[in-house]
Amino acid sequence: MNHYIITGHANYATAMRSAIEAICGEQECLSYIDYDTTKPLEELKRQYLQTVKQGEQYIFVCDLAGATPFTVSSMLFQDHQNVRVVAGINLAAILEAIYIREDSLSEICKTMINATKTTALCFKMNAERKKKKEGGI
């Protein structure tokens, strides 16, 4: 089974955990690691290394591409065929990934990226509706 490590700055992972568990309950395939910028970088590396177990497959889901959690996980596991790193993935995409965790790492990463693209949107209020709202009736 594939595992996901949700990681990011400050309380990103904790917040994602709260949202995920509110929607679909506790998930055994997920780990959460917050990056506390006041602690030494070695602490983050240690947490990552302790979480990844030999013989298992992992996807690091990082908050921002190029930022510390992304860079550290990418550098630590660049030579590991059983680890992938993605960034900028939204909650909807993570929820979708939970239900396809038996797929290949590459397929799961593609699915998360596509799901993020398709679930991100901008709501634009209809001009007529806006006019009525501003006019009072």
Side-chain angles (χ1 to χ4, degrees), residues 74-128:
S74 296
M75 288 173 50
L76 281 176
F77 300 104
Q78 65 184 336
D79 295 325
H80 292 71
Q81 293 299 314
N82 64 325
V83 178
R84 300 288 187 282
V85 181
V86 295
I89 303 300
N90 67 19
L91 176 61
I94 294 170
L95 294 172
E96 189 168 332
I98 290 169
Y99 295 104
I100 61 164
R101 67 178 178 250
E102 298 302 325
D103 288 2
S104 71
L105 293 178
S106 295
E107 279 302 311
I108 294 168
C109 290
K110 285 180 198 173
T111 298
M112 285 195 288
I113 290 166
N114 289 332
T116 295
K117 289 177 183 178
T118 60
T119 59
L121 58 89
C122 176
F123 174 79
K124 182 178 178 188
M125 187 179 284
N126 180 316
E128 176 128 346

Side-chain angles (χ1 to χ4, degrees), residues 6 12-25 27 30 32 61-63 87-99 111-112 115-117 119-120:
I6 312 296
Y12 175 82
T14 300
M16 291 300 272
R17 179 181 197 154
S18 179
I20 290 166
E21 289 181 356
I23 295 167
C24 59
Q27 299 296 311
L30 297 175
Y32 305 89
V61 182
C62 304
D63 57 351
I89 303 300
N90 67 19
L91 176 61
I94 294 170
L95 294 172
E96 189 168 332
I98 290 169
Y99 295 104
T111 298
M112 285 195 288
T116 295
K117 289 177 183 178
T119 59

Side-chain angles (χ1 to χ4, degrees), residues 1-57:
M1 173 175 37
N2 296 312
H3 301 274
Y4 308 111
I5 300 169
I6 312 296
T7 186
H9 294 81
N11 295 319
Y12 175 82
T14 300
M16 291 300 272
R17 179 181 197 154
S18 179
I20 290 166
E21 289 181 356
I23 295 167
C24 59
E26 188 175 336
Q27 299 296 311
E28 66 182 45
C29 64
L30 297 175
S31 298
Y32 305 89
I33 301 174
D34 287 320
Y35 170 46
D36 183 347
T37 58
T38 65
K39 293 190 177 175
L41 198 54
E42 291 303 316
E43 174 65 18
L44 183 64
K45 290 178 184 178
R46 185 190 61 73
Q47 288 179 293
Y48 287 172
L49 290 169
Q50 282 182 338
T51 304
V52 173
K53 306 289 187 243
Q54 191 72 15
E56 300 286 337
Q57 297 194 112

